[in-house]
Amino acid sequence: VYGKSHRPKEAMKVLNEMELSGFTPSIVTYNSLISAYARDGMLDEAMELKKQMTEKAMKPDVFTYTTLLSGFERAGKVESAMSVFEEMRNAGCKPNICTFNAFIKMYGNRGKFAEMMKIFDEINVCGLSPDIVTWNTLLAVFGQNGMDSEVSGVFKEMKRAGFVPERETFNTLISAYSRCGSFEQAMTVYRRMLEAGVTPDLSTYNTVLAALARGGMWEQSEKVLAEMEDGRCKPNELTYCSLLHAYANGKEIGRMHFLAEEVYSGVIEPRAVLLKTLVLVCSKCDLLPEAERAFSELKERGFSPDITTLNSMVSIYGRRQMVAKAKEVLDYMKEMGFTPSMATYNSLMYMHSRSSDFRKSEEILREIQAKGIKPDIISYNTVIYAYCRNTRMRDASRIFAEMRESGIVPDVITYNTFIGSYAADSMFEEAIGVVRYMIKNGCRPNQNSYNSIVDGYCKLNRKDEAKLFAEELRNLDPNAPKDEDRRLLERIGKKWPIR
């Protein structure tokens, strides 16, 4: 009970009392304690308990190993997780479905989808069958990566395998679709859940709040919280985490600060996950002192940072070109056995892309490829930006070609980086050529695409060409928004009166 309530120290006291009273702890006792410590990210303590087990001639079982493996996976310590698995195999302990589920989650969260599906295929080879957690994990992984077609495909396969969607599946689907940006589809799943007679629980409310938070819908989030507080369901730490994200994404910094103070003062119990979320949202909002305070509070209260928390600190230091501070966090990660994730590398690439050492961005790109990690669109866009910012257009085009060859579809940010760079260098023909190319390849220009071009003309006092571009926009982009040409003329007019 203490373990499940995130109170491992009290659980440990019971063990000590137990032994003083002459009772011999069993493997269940130790597994419960290991689970309690692993759940709160206190993995050194969990490993120490496993060591005590073996010293007492108690053989760790599949639950022991899988709990530790899952704990290291959650913390982002992939090498430690693999070490536990290797020890498990050497001990002749056969993995169970929970072990496979932990690996599916680990590979999926790191974007290693080929390895993830290989593990999925091995389930049947080992004489096991995917369970509801397996399917929900696949749904969650694909949802987190914005792969909505894969989400729908897994859901169909799941039903074909005879699984009837239950509350947890509905919760996972709501989360998956909201992570793909399909908020309407997420809410449709919620309505279908209610129509199917499935009663929402705390997890459901938290999932809905998380979906609202991603859209910055803080007012609706407060309404859901009020509904919960009215007696239907008592909020927990994850509820307040989602509310913090809603405020951050909705740019409601004042409300975010107020909720943070309630956490620090103890009005809301300052659990590890809440303090980690405060680091994340403060970093996201570029609030350096607040992020550093949350990070300090986390460590001072005896909680261990996880990979997401550390990445948030690397990110905020990287954005501010605080190279020494970013290196401190990286050294800490290495010292504590954390495996850098894609977010870590992307933050480092971002930091170098804005510095004089911009070539370092591509070096990091090559480093992650050598490690078998597939760069994402953020990785490529960052390196492209590094070269465009330094007028190295040939190198930028080389990375663009590699990006497409790797199967990643350029987005509006990719194209706008080229447009902005060409326009800034008075290469308007090339900039307009990029607009034509992106339209031809199914990517819609946005306001920033056209702003870069007219601003480039304005900067050079070429008002007639700026006006002509705006007036003839329909010839370039017949599907441009209705008032886009007027908007651009008004933008130009702020510099020169148009008659």
Side-chain angles (χ1 to χ4, degrees), residues 19 85 95 101 114 134 150 167 186 203 213 216 227 244 253 261 281 395 404 407 422 447-448 453 479:
E19 291 180 314
F85 184 61
N101 289 343
T134 316
E150 282 81 0
R167 184 188 289 117
S203 179
E227 185 180 320
L244 283 168
I253 306 302
E261 287 306 321
V281 295
D395 285 317
R404 295 202 65 178
Y422 281 131
Q447 290 187 354
N448 289 335
I453 295 173
N479 297 312

Side-chain angles (χ1 to χ4, degrees), residues 46 92 105 269 305 375 475:
K105 186 179 178 186
E269 189 176 350
N475 295 332

Side-chain angles (χ1 to χ4, degrees), residues 264-283:
Y264 294 137
S265 65
V267 173
I268 298 170
E269 189 176 350
R271 294 196 183 278
V273 68
L274 265 171
L275 294 169
K276 290 174 184 177
T277 300
L278 278 168
V279 174
L280 181 60
V281 295
C282 290
S283 173

